[in-house]
Amino acid sequence: MPDYHDDLRLAHVLADAADASTMERFKALDLKVETKPDMTPVSEADKSAEELIRGQLQRARPRDAVLGEEFGSEGSGPRRWIIDPIDGTKNYVRGVPVWATLIALMERGAGGDRPVVGLVSAPALGRRWWAAEGLGAFTGRSLTSASRLHASQVGSIQDASFAYSSLTGWEERGKLAGFLDLSRDCWRTRAYGDFWPYMLVAEGAVDICAEPELSLWDMAACAVIVQEAGGRFTGLDGRPGPHSGNAAASNGLLHEDLLSYVGDDRS
């Protein structure tokens, strides 16, 4: 099995630089915000953080490809870094501390591209999570000061905590009825949003979460962290990994139950 220790260390270096950049502009009164063609906001901080990460990757991994939310795809080859400079930009621009930089490394294999390194850094929360294939998932301040993550052992939907982002996407996908059935049958539901539900699944604090519409940069880092914590990460179609344009994550024990409510096979 390949050794991803060096890539994981690099991801931490990249995140340290991004955290310093994004925190410097967080709650700035003169923060510049624009609207992208898809009608989502982008701030100067998003662009600066991605440019910073790309610059460091160019120096440290010049042969690797890069895909970022703000500046698209660059390069080709079997290894590709996936960057979301600020996941939760709407929170960021309103001063809500729930946002993070997401960094992942995907590698091409016989079964296609798969995420092998993932890091999620939420500096305004003072939290960071990371994982690498075969090395487990962790949270802490640094590689040397961390605790291992384990998904929960809850085995019943009636005892499960379910996290989500919003209702509108489920309605647009025609799955609002299943979503509402799931929320009624669960022990608890909360709309934490963005990266955070997946990290809570990895921590064992939440048992299931799902979102109806996502991009690769929203999911790649989260997928490997959830999986290395002992959970499952698929699309709503059940396809493993971050390739379906949407996501279902669980502690593993509840995954088929989750998909029975909101999966693509539900009638």
Side-chain angles (χ1 to χ4, degrees), residues 134-168:
L135 300 179
F138 297 85
T139 185
R141 296 288 184 177
S142 67
L143 282 166
T144 56
S145 177
S147 57
R148 189 151 189 172
L149 298 174
H150 299 282
S152 78
Q153 293 299 304
V154 172
S156 167
I157 285 291
Q158 287 69 34
D159 297 326
S161 180
F162 169 44
Y164 62 97
S165 287
S166 67
L167 295 177
T168 54

Side-chain angles (χ1 to χ4, degrees), residues 173 175 210-211 227 232-250 255-260 262-266:
R173 195 177 175 85
K175 293 187 176 297
E211 289 186 87
Q227 289 165 180
R232 282 184 65 187
F233 190 106
T234 73
L236 298 178
D237 56 5
R239 181 185 179 190
H243 306 288
S244 301
N246 44 58
S250 76
H255 207 80
E256 295 306 321
D257 288 332
L258 172 60
L259 292 179
S260 73
V262 297
D264 286 345
D265 289 338
R266 179 185 169 94

Side-chain angles (χ1 to χ4, degrees), residues 152-201:
S152 78
Q153 293 299 304
V154 172
S156 167
I157 285 291
Q158 287 69 34
D159 297 326
S161 180
F162 169 44
Y164 62 97
S165 287
S166 67
L167 295 177
T168 54
W170 295 107
E171 187 172 27
E172 291 167 1
R173 195 177 175 85
K175 293 187 176 297
L176 184 58
F179 173 92
L180 292 175
D181 287 344
L182 176 58
S183 66
R184 293 185 189 103
D185 290 345
C186 283
W187 168 65
R188 190 170 190 259
T189 61
R190 285 294 184 273
Y192 299 107
D194 300 307
F195 66 93
W196 208 3
Y198 305 98
M199 299 304 97
L200 293 173
V201 168

Side-chain angles (χ1 to χ4, degrees), residues 34-43 46 68-70 84 89-90 172 213-215 217-218:
E34 303 171 0
T35 301
K36 294 191 287 189
D38 64 359
M39 302 308 293
T40 61
V42 58
S43 74
D46 293 78
E69 179 177 10
E70 307 308 336
D84 190 342
T89 298
K90 292 177 181 178
E172 291 167 1
E213 186 176 3
L214 293 168
S215 297
W217 47 75
D218 297 314

